């Protein structure tokens, strides 16, 4: 799901928020919270190494800052009963999606990330993230940030977003 | 003292002589005027946390209490798209339903709402392909003197559904390969923006088929400086902004778009001011371009909220005024009159109302049942 | 078929880095919709797996592959686009290529990509029909190919 970008909802302030870019949400926190509540209330980290992670990566997959989410927009499936690369029970993963690259801070390599949406149940509502890195308008759909990618699924209803590692970018 | 005594006497007297309350009729329902007052707006709330319950809320932005502001509402499911007719009291919503709520057979319909009753007049079945995309003015448009409605489809192949609004029926599906969205062009045509930086312009025949399909020369490069797909449009005159603050005027009144000489927004260098947001620019009735601006702009800040609205004259390319917003905004809109209100969706998802000519904030419209009212429409 | 094998042999050693880049470009620009195995999605995204090679059996088909918007308008330079197409053909559909298969050249792609199909779904059907006509042994296979004609299938 790439189209929830720009969404800043007061509810979201109690959920995971983007901290790497002092953009949208940073401004909200700064202005609404008057500075005092600037640090977003991230969900409680479940330790450095989640069981859903591979050996060569680390970080908190409940946080928008997690490396795989560098261009994610929507609700993190990891907070919705799924994992970074699997859907919550009873939903269907869209086969059609958009793909970008993110840098894994552990090995410094760029990996191909497939942001498949999970579909067939209504909005999860947990861990809303938006990061606009590389986003372009819908005339460039393979980079477009505004679309619901529940395409080719039985239901077009969006639930949450995954970030599946599907390959590695060539070494420069 | 005398006055108080009189008042007491009156009260005593009146309570004795008051008639009983009359029974009131049941089943009374309010109606609205055929043409909405100039300062009414329609807030498009896709309700991202509850998308089957999207809403369009009709508000009087001149008023201060919720009971005077809230005129009524109508629905649009699964990130609906919206258009208003100017020539008849109708509004259009293209929306998606599944037969069992969140699952089952998908049905897309173009719903026709009566402006007076906010009741549906018709639900026209269209191919279940409409783009589920963040609310935009350019996924549903009217052409041919408002006889035809055009719907942007994304499957991910891109097409446009043509609907006859007089006969209330779907006519045809037009391919727009590699292109997106709908900018009415000429009498009965539209242009779409294409991946490689061109327009694809389709002229329709009277059956909604393709009379001609023409690609323009390249006029922007999305890899160097992308254009926002949400231009400031007045009639058939469009100003397309780029992420870096260029303005490309496009005349859409003829059969094919005429791309004018581009110019750069002035006074943006100091502070790296950039246009941005979900609705970055709108035109006023008197031809001024209002642009939502943010400072310290760089790559990937094109959807950041703006802290100021800058007012430009597209004829002179001069900045005439700056309006400092009380709270950053993600979308801006102007009412249709020459003494317009500037209405903005703030980062708190409320609506702030400004006197556009004076630049002063008048009020905040909040607590109207909204969740994510990301696009505002001046009423017609 | 022999030609295909020769091409495979020639390309296998020389162009490993190019193949890696081609695969990466496929992933970044095509795979999201066409899927990692190029099988597409029923009624939405055309299948290319064990299929796209057929198009090179006619001049119109060979041009069509470049004229589709995802190829012609891909944000890639001509040489990388040619490499990507050649990589796709040999990776996903080597058995359907004609005996006299020649890879796309950079100049050819540069020339062809200036034109973009105005109705890809319709043109695709017409081209496959023509190929089936000239190669009757393929008629059955092409007729039974998973139909993917976005824009003309639902109504």
């Amino acid at each position: 799901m790439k189209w929830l970008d720009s969404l800043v909802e007061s509810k979201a302030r109690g959920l995971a928020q983007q901290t790497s870019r002092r953009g949208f949400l940073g401004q909200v926190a700064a202005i609404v919270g008057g500075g005092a509540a600037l640090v977003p209330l991230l969900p409680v980290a479940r330790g450095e190494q989640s069981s859903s992670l591979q050996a060569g990566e680390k970080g908190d997959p409940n946080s928008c800052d997690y490396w795989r989410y560098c261009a994610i927009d929507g609700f993190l499936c990891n907070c919705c009963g799924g994992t970074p690369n699997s859907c919550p029970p009873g939903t269907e993963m869209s086969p059609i999606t958009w793909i970008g690259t993110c840098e894994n801070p552990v090995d410094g390599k760029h990996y191909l990330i497939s942001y498949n949406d999970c579909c067939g149940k209504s909005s999860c509502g947990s861990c809303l993230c938006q990061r606009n890195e590389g986003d372009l308008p819908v005339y460039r759909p393979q980079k477009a940030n505004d679309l619901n990618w529940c395409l080719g699924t039985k239901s077009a209803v969006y639930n949450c977003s995954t970030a599946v590692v599907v390959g590695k970018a060539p070494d420069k | 003292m005398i006055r108080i005594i009189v008042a007491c006497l009156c009260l005593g007297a009146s309570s004795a002589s008051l008639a009983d309350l009359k029974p009131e009729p049941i089943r009374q329902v309010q109606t609205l005027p055929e043409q909405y007052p100039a300062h009414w707006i329609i807030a498009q709330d896709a309700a991202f946390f509850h998308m089957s319950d999207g809403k369009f809320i009709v508000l009087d932005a001149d008023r201060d209490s919720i009971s005077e502001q809230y005129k009524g509402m109508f629905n649009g499911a699964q990130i609906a798209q919206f258009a208003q007719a100017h020539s008849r009291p109708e509004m259009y919503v293209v929306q998606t339903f599944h037969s069992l709520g969140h699952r089952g057979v998908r049905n897309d319909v173009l719903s026709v709402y009566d402006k007076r009753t906010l009741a549906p007049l018709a639900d026209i079945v269209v191919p279940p392909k409409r783009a589920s995309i963040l609310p935009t003015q350019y996924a549903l448009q009217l052409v041919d003197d408002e006889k035809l409605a055009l719907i942007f489809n994304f499957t991910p192949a891109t097409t446009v559904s043509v609907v006859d609004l007089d006969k209330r029926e779907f006519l045809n599906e037009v391919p727009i390969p590699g292109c997106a969205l709908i900018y009415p062009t000429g009498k009965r045509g539209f242009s779409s923006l294409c991946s490689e930086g061109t327009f694809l312009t389709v002229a329709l025949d009277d059956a909604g088929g393709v009379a001609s399909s023409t690609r323009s020369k390249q006029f922007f490069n999305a890899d160097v400086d992308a254009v926002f797909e949400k231009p400031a449009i007045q009639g058939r005159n469009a100003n397309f902004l780029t992420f870096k603050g260029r303005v490309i005027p496009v005349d859409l009144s003829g059969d094919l778009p005429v791309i004018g000489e581009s110019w750069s927004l002035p006074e943006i260098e100091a502070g790296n001011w950039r246009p941005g947001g979900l609705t970055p620019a709108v035109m006023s009735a008197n031809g001024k371009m209002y642009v939502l601006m943010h400072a310290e702009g760089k790559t990937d800040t094109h959807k950041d909220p703006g802290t100021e609205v800058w007012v430009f004259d597209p004829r002179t390319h001069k900045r005439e005024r700056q309006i400092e917003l009380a709270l950053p905004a993600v979308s801006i809109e102007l009412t249709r009159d020459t003494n317009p209100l500037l209405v903005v969706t703030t980062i708190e998802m409320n609506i702030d109302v400004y006197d556009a000519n004076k630049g002063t904030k008048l009020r905040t419209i909040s607590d109207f049942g909204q969740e994510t009212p990301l696009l505002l429409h001046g009423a017609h | 078929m022999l030609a295909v094998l020769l091409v495979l042999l020639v390309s296998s050693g020389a162009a490993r880095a190019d193949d890696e880049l081609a695969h990466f470009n496929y992933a970044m620009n095509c795979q999201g919709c066409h899927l990692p195995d190029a099988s597409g999605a029923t009624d939405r995204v055309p299948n290319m797996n064990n299929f796209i090679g057929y198009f090179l059996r006619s001049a119109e088909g060979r041009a069509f592959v470049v004229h589709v918007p995802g190829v012609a308008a891909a944000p890639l330079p001509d040489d990388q686009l040619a490499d990507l197409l050649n990589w796709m053909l040999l990776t996903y559909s080597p058995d359907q290529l004609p005996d006299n298969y020649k890879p796309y050249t950079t100049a050819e792609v540069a020339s062809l990509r200036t034109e973009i199909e105005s109705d890809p779904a319709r043109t695709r059907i017409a081209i496959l029909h023509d190929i089936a006509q000239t190669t009757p042994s393929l008629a059955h296979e092409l007729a039974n190919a998973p139909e993917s004609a976005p824009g003309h299938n639902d109504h």
Side-chain angles (χ1 to χ4, degrees), chain B residues 242-262:
Chain B
T242 71
F243 287 10
K244 293 180 180 171
R246 268 186 325 124
V247 183
I248 305 172
V250 181
D251 178 355
L252 297 166
S253 60
D255 291 341
L256 293 174
V258 177
I259 295 150
E261 195 78 25
S262 72

Side-chain angles (χ1 to χ4, degrees), chain B residues 127 129 155-157 173 177 196 215, chain C residues 33 44 69 116-117 150-151 153 155:
Chain B
K129 299 178 169 186
T155 68
E173 189 177 349
E196 77 282 12
R215 265 179 211 259
Chain C
C33 297
R44 291 176 177 270
I116 299 178
E117 273 297 333
N153 50 341
H155 283 255

Side-chain angles (χ1 to χ4, degrees), chain B residues 106 125-129 154-157 159 170 173 175-178 195-196 213 215 223, chain C residues 33 43-45 69-70 72-75 116-120 149-155:
Chain B
R106 173 175 169 171
V125 176
V126 295
K129 299 178 169 186
F154 182 85
T155 68
T159 61
F170 166 74
E173 189 177 349
I176 52 166
S195 171
E196 77 282 12
S213 179
R215 265 179 211 259
D223 297 310
Chain C
C33 297
D43 291 339
R44 291 176 177 270
V45 181
I116 299 178
E117 273 297 333
S118 59
D119 193 345
H152 294 273
N153 50 341
D154 284 20
H155 283 255

Side-chain angles (χ1 to χ4, degrees), chain B residues 90-102:
Chain B
E90 291 180 357
M91 300 182 285
Y92 308 96
V93 171
V94 64
Q95 53 183 330
T96 296
F97 299 97
H98 287 276
S99 57
L100 298 173
H102 299 107

Side-chain angles (χ1 to χ4, degrees), chain B residues 20-30:
Chain B
D20 294 343
L21 295 179
K22 289 183 197 142
E24 295 168 345
I26 59 166
R27 305 189 74 179
Q28 292 193 97
V29 180
Q30 295 295 313

Side-chain angles (χ1 to χ4, degrees), chain C residues 20-30 76 80-81 84:
Chain C
E20 195 185 3
L21 181 60
H23 191 176
F24 173 72
N25 283 334
Y26 176 81
M28 286 291 279
N29 296 286
C30 321
L76 294 171
Q80 287 187 37
L81 187 57
L84 167 55

Side-chain angles (χ1 to χ4, degrees), chain A residues 1-38:
Chain A
M1 180 67 111
K2 293 192 71 187
W3 47 267
L4 278 168
D5 59 289
S6 312
L7 171 56
V8 178
E9 226 271 341
S10 51
K11 278 176 194 168
R13 266 177 265 137
L15 305 170
Q17 292 193 347
Q18 173 188 354
T19 54
S20 61
R21 274 183 53 225
R22 288 286 166 219
F24 224 167
L25 293 164
Q27 286 185 44
V28 181
I31 291 158
V32 177
L38 215 165

Side-chain angles (χ1 to χ4, degrees), chain B residues 261-277:
Chain B
E261 195 78 25
S262 72
W263 50 284
S264 286
L265 294 176
E267 312 189 51
I268 61 173
E269 288 82 11
N272 278 321
W273 285 86
R274 295 275 177 86

